[in-house]
């Protein structure tokens, strides 16, 4: 339905370096959302966390960090959209090159480092969209720690971002799993995570209606640490988990780019799906799990559902397969 233009544009985009192609595409989607065809209405919404999702398929965090193209993602047919990661203070991210394609593996490798305009600016952008009634599907905001903030002050940093954005979001994600902010993944220790969640939940109670809060985990956690994080998230009143972020295991591809970063796309499917299943088996049915990592076709989406995902997100698959993947996965997920 909506994907034909990408087949035409892809060779030109792939002739550019990956980050330039990303910026060009995002600018086009931001400027021309209105010319995209409207999605076919989805028959039944999906109820999760007290929200009604247009479908089980969402856009993963990191593609639209600054919430520039929400109307376009809706028109392309996503049932929900997660924007961010944003941080309390605007920051430029790591020096380029910092985004790499690995086409043979349907994979991406990145060390973006939370380049974003900051929670205040992005929160206000969301507020303006709400004022215009331009938001038609649940929008999540993904929060990370500012690079300038030491880990010891992480809780206050997340709280500041939460206050600036949560009033305009449907759900909030605490991201402690990016490999590209030094020390961030140490915040997955149960002690650190508990302190951050206490601070965020305190801010959540200031809202007329509290938002569902989720934690996004790294696929590189040891099994017992994954389950400890799940327990902490539940104990602190979270609504669910997002599993998973990118992996630092470069051995999953033959010829990885030099330097540090996180690997996403097809090579991540098995690991992130196994982690998802492990958590589902541990937490039982009543805790929302969003499965993300390596979904590039209907079989991958079905694997996430079989492993216990209530909702599924994509990033890398969209780069390689284009918007037609949205239609394909929406249909696959509607059946299961
Ligand atoms: C270039 C790039 C930037 C990303 N930035 C973020 C981010 O800012 N926050 C976040 O939580 N995840 C981020 N991710 C991770 C994705 O949301 C997702 O968890 C991961 O890519 C696995 O899904 P995929 O295999 O479908 O790409 C990023 C991924 C890529 C490829």
């Amino acid at each position: 339905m909506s994907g034909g233009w990408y087949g035409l544009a892809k060779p030109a985009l792939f002739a550019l370096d990956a980050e330039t192609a990303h910026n060009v595409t995002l600018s086009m989607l931001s400027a021309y959302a209105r010319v995209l065809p409207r999605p076919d209405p989805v028959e039944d919404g999906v109820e999760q966390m007290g929200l009604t999702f247009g479908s089980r398929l969402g856009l993963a965090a990191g593609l639209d960090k600054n919430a520039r193209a929400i109307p376009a993602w809706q028109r392309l047919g996503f049932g929900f959209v997660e924007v961010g990661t944003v941080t309390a203070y605007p920051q430029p991210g790591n020096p380029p090159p910092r985004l790499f394609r690995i086409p043979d593996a349907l994979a991406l490798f990145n060390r973006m480092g939370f380049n974003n305009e900051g929670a205040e600016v992005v929160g206000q952008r969301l507020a303006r969209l709400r004022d215009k009634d331009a938001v038609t599907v649940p929008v999540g905001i993904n929060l990370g720690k500012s690079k300038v903030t030491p880990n010891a002050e992480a809780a206050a940093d997340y709280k500041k971002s939460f206050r600036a954005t949560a009033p305009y979001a449907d759900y909030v994600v605490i991201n402690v799993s990016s490999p590209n902010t030094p020390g961030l993944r140490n915040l997955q220790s149960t002690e650190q995570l508990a302190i951050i969640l206490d601070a965020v939940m305190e801010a959540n109670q200031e809202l007329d209606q509290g938002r569902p809060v989720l934690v996004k985990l790294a696929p590189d956690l040891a099994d017992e640490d994954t389950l400890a994080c799940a327990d902490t998230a539940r104990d602190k009143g979270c609504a669910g988990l997002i599993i998973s972020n990118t992996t630092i295991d470069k051995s999953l591809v033959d010829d990885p780019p030099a330097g540090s970063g996180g690997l996403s796309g097809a090579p991540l499917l098995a690991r992130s799906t196994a982690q998802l299943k492990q958590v589902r088996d541990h937490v039982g049915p009543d805790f929302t799990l969003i499965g993300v990592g390596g979904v590039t076709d209907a079989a991958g989406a079905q694997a996430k559902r079989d492993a216990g995902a209530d909702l599924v997100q994509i990033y890398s698959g969209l780069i390689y397969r284009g918007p037609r993947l949205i239609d394909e996965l929406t249909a696959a997920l509607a059946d299961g």
Side-chain angles (χ1 to χ4, degrees), residues 58-65 81-86 114 140-143 171 173 175 216 242 245-246 292 313-316:
L59 178 69
L63 213 168
D64 192 3
K65 289 179 192 278
V81 178
E82 190 171 313
V83 298
T85 294
V86 297
F114 291 163
I141 180 83
N142 181 305
L143 308 180
Y171 71 87
V173 180
N175 179 7
K216 185 165 177 177
I242 303 188
N245 215 312
T246 56
V292 52
Q313 293 176 324
I314 54 169
Y315 185 143
S316 305

Side-chain angles (χ1 to χ4, degrees), residues 17 19 94-100 109-112 258 260:
D17 80 82
E19 186 167 353
N94 291 320
R98 54 191 184 175
L99 175 58
F100 307 86
F109 184 76
N110 91 87
R111 51 171 164 272
M112 302 300 290
S260 62

